[in-house]
Amino acid sequence: MSVHVDIKKSFPDFNLNVKFEAENEILALLGASGCGKSMTLKCIAGIEKPDEGQIVLDGLVLFDSEKGINLSPQKRKTGYLFQHYALFPNMTVAENIAAGIQLPKREKDAIIKEKIQMFHLDGLEGRYPSQISGGQQQRVALARILASEPKILMLDEPFSALDSYLRWQMEQEISCVLEKFGGTTLFVSHNRDEVYRICNKIAVMSHGNLEAISEKWALFNNPQTLAAALLTGCKNISHAKKRTDYSLEASDWNVTFQTEEKVPDNLSYVGVRAHYFVPSYDESEPNTLKGSIQRVIEDTFSTIIMYQLGGDSSIRWEVDKQTYHSLQKYEEHVFLKVFPKDILMLSE
């Protein structure tokens, strides 16, 4: 199953301008709140109408502004899991699952039974949404979607209403469901970690625009843009200028870095992930930052070190607890070094 999306829609706060294709894969739309992720799904589902463009699902034109095509949501064969599940409160679990099935009673009952078993809802068939937990509600919503045999699944922040333990449990269950589905899934989130675990490919969205789209490994290793670096969790960003083909100046940190890759002409920023820094005891080494440890924060399984560079500039450095304990006797003399291969060169 494939989807082609090329749409534009104007809003008071931003303009949605999205173009991508996906086929038999799990594609994440990763971005901050209000950047247009959910709106993109709503346009595909037919809940919102784009101002212009085209949406094609497995060869079926869902929307085409030039040809005047705009299929109703019921004709689009899309499975959309809303953030709060949108279950019918006056229907039982079984009735909610049956809501999207247009088949004779015998076939409908067989599908309901299959989905009840598939999503471990046995014994809950006669209960109403208010009588079951948040995780169970989500299972019912997913069962209802799959019972309608959609050509595409679209999940909009599916774990936002769940506590941390239930989020992890439901993440495992949804991952299994998506593997069995085997078609195209669009997964909206602002959580880089769950996106990385669940999805094959990631599309970064910022202010209505699709900034980058690539395999997850490539995006995290080389985000290329400031928005992508921030969304993939880079905590250390400095304005930067190109000096030579293989060197740049990180102006906020007052240091010149040697790079492994050629510095692009459109360089605007440089980023270094918190765990990329390594301790150094020789300030003359290349790519070394000179400063002092300002604050130490003990995290659950690591130690976060705020490293003061002078003025208002500081670096977030993250190490495992054993490494930090070995550094304590050198605290006043530790410098930070970054290898050329670990420097993220970013455009605006």
Side-chain angles (χ1 to χ4, degrees):
M1 302 294 179
S2 63
V3 63
H4 166 81
V5 178
D6 185 0
I7 55 173
K8 295 180 180 179
K9 187 173 177 65
S10 297
F11 296 93
D13 298 332
F14 70 96
N15 293 322
L16 185 69
N17 185 359
V18 176
K19 182 177 181 179
F20 66 85
E21 293 184 355
E23 182 173 6
N24 297 333
E25 60 191 332
I26 307 172
L27 173 65
L29 301 183
L30 177 66
S33 298
C35 73
K37 307 184 303 295
S38 297
M39 182 56 61
T40 300
L41 296 194
K42 289 176 181 177
C43 287
I44 297 171
I47 299 168
E48 294 282 346
K49 181 182 177 182
D51 296 333
E52 61 180 281
Q54 186 184 64
I55 304 171
V56 182
L57 177 60
D58 202 31
L60 175 67
V61 179
L62 307 184
F63 175 80
D64 191 313
S65 56
E66 291 187 359
K67 296 179 180 179
I69 298 172
N70 186 30
L71 297 187
S72 67
Q74 294 77 15
K75 294 180 180 180
R76 295 195 177 205
K77 297 292 284 184
T78 59
Y80 189 178
L81 180 65
F82 293 86
Q83 289 187 27
H84 298 289
Y85 316 139
L87 296 175
F88 298 109
N90 60 333
M91 290 185 180
T92 65
V93 166
E95 289 169 340
N96 264 284
I97 295 172
I101 307 173
Q102 305 297 323
L103 291 171
K105 186 178 185 306
R106 180 177 294 180
E107 295 177 51
K108 180 185 289 189
D109 288 345
I111 292 173
I112 294 171
K113 184 177 180 180
E114 176 196 352
K115 300 308 177 192
I116 289 287
Q117 292 175 346
M118 179 180 177
F119 287 94
H120 311 294
L121 296 166
D122 305 83
L124 303 177
E125 296 91 333
R127 295 191 187 182
Y128 292 91
S130 62
Q131 298 174 319
I132 59 178
S133 69
Q136 290 166 340
Q137 289 177 24
Q138 187 175 87
R139 290 188 198 134
V140 175
L142 276 170
R144 181 179 65 185
I145 289 170
L146 291 177
S148 66
E149 298 185 336
K151 292 186 176 181
I152 186 173
L153 288 180
M154 299 188 292
L155 281 59
D156 192 351
E157 300 276 6
F159 312 123
S160 61
L162 306 176
D163 61 51
S164 58
Y165 174 76
L166 197 53
R167 284 173 74 103
W168 174 252
Q169 188 178 26
M170 289 307 302
E171 181 182 316
Q172 305 314 300
E173 293 186 13
I174 283 183
S175 294
C176 292
V177 170
L178 299 184
E179 287 177 12
K180 292 177 182 177
F181 177 64
T184 299
T185 298
L186 301 181
F187 186 97
V188 159
S189 179
H190 62 268
N191 186 311
R192 56 153 189 167
D193 295 327
E194 69 186 24
V195 159
Y196 193 86
R197 290 189 294 265
I198 293 172
C199 303
N200 313 117
K201 191 180 290 185
I202 300 174
V204 173
M205 290 191 66
S206 179
H207 303 294
N209 294 305
L210 201 153
E211 295 261 337
I213 181 168
S214 68
E215 300 294 331
K216 62 183 178 183
W217 296 95
L219 182 66
F220 277 76
N221 289 333
N222 185 18
Q224 296 188 345
T225 69
L226 175 63
L230 293 171
L231 286 168
T232 56
C234 185
K235 300 295 192 296
N236 302 304
I237 304 285
S238 167
H239 290 85
K241 295 179 181 179
K242 180 177 180 177
R243 286 304 181 200
T244 69
D245 283 347
Y246 292 93
S247 69
L248 60 86
E249 179 188 343
S251 53
D252 296 337
W253 302 335
N254 193 29
V255 64
T256 298
F257 285 137
Q258 305 299 315
T259 65
E260 185 172 87
E261 300 293 328
K262 191 172 181 179
V263 179
D265 292 334
N266 64 343
L267 177 77
S268 299
Y269 298 90
V270 60
V272 181
R273 298 196 186 278
H275 60 281
Y276 281 179
F277 289 108
V278 294
S280 172
Y281 307 104
D282 181 358
E283 62 180 305
S284 66
E285 286 190 298
N287 291 10
T288 297
L289 293 94
K290 306 170 184 63
S292 59
I293 294 175
Q294 177 189 36
R295 186 182 177 198
V296 177
I297 305 164
E298 186 175 2
D299 207 356
T300 312
F301 300 109
S302 64
T303 299
I304 299 168
I305 303 167
M306 301 308 298
Y307 191 81
Q308 187 73 34
L309 296 176
D312 295 328
S313 296
S314 62
I315 291 290
R316 174 171 168 154
W317 177 26
E318 192 163 343
V319 297
D320 62 77
K321 293 188 177 183
Q322 183 177 354
T323 299
Y324 173 68
H325 288 312
S326 70
L327 290 172
Q328 286 183 299
K329 59 183 178 181
Y330 300 109
E331 275 189 7
E332 298 302 318
H333 307 287
V334 173
F335 304 104
L336 295 188
K337 182 174 69 174
V338 58
F339 296 110
K341 66 180 180 63
D342 291 331
I343 292 170
L344 305 178
M345 294 176 284
L346 310 169
S347 60
E348 187 67 56

